[in-house]
Amino acid sequence: MTHELRVMRVYDLTPETAGYRILVDRLWPRGVRKETLRPDRWAKEITPSPELRKWFGHTEERFEEFSSLYRAELDCSSAAQEFVRDVASMLKEQDVLLLYAAKSRTCNHAVILRDWVAKQMKQA
């Protein structure tokens, strides 16, 4: 059985949602209780830098440039490389959910992170 690396909005989680839950936002999601979200890990170290996050501001016109800049941050980060190893290890046992709070399901850093991690795992 193969397991998936998926992105999911924290607001779409249900108690029945299975998988290893990694919150990939630097800030805790508004209106979400820790007891409800129950992340297995909060990976602040692999989120976009505060400067990049603020510059992007979830502006769709900036998404392509944001994607490129965020991937460059990930490429230079030893924490991101360790994150890839951890995710690859967890995927042997269960699905891994990259949890985010942004409104857009397509224009957010979690989507970029998922694709970057998948690419890194293929190259390993």
Side-chain angles (χ1 to χ4, degrees):
M1 176 181 213
T2 56
H3 296 287
E4 288 184 87
L5 175 61
R6 301 184 303 161
V7 293
M8 182 174 259
R9 284 190 78 223
V10 295
Y11 306 106
D12 295 336
L13 279 175
T14 65
E16 298 80 33
T17 305
Y20 187 81
R21 298 174 177 203
I22 305 174
L23 179 61
V24 295
D25 280 349
R26 187 170 296 269
L27 306 174
W28 190 263
R30 282 193 182 124
V32 177
R33 298 181 60 183
K34 290 182 181 172
E35 302 81 33
T36 304
L37 185 56
R38 296 182 346 267
D40 295 299
R41 178 175 177 182
W42 186 0
K44 296 179 193 178
E45 70 279 3
I46 51 85
T47 63
S49 64
E51 299 80 19
L52 182 57
R53 180 180 59 81
K54 289 174 186 171
W55 169 81
F56 172 49
H58 297 282
T59 305
E60 288 195 32
E61 294 79 29
R62 295 182 179 168
F63 187 68
E64 190 173 328
E65 186 176 359
F66 170 74
S67 298
S68 181
L69 293 168
Y70 180 39
R71 283 192 301 270
E73 286 186 352
L74 292 168
D75 288 340
C76 295
S77 167
S78 59
Q81 295 302 324
E82 184 178 328
F83 183 78
V84 171
R85 288 189 293 275
D86 293 347
V87 168
S89 177
M90 291 308 306
L91 282 170
K92 293 175 184 174
E93 301 173 20
Q94 60 188 317
D95 288 351
V96 174
L97 310 174
L98 302 179
L99 306 175
Y100 68 95
K103 289 180 184 177
S104 173
R105 296 178 193 287
T106 57
C107 183
N108 66 69
H109 74 282
V111 171
I112 299 164
L113 178 62
R114 178 202 55 209
D115 295 345
W116 183 86
V117 167
K119 182 180 178 184
Q120 298 299 310
M121 289 190 304
K122 283 182 184 176
Q123 293 175 351

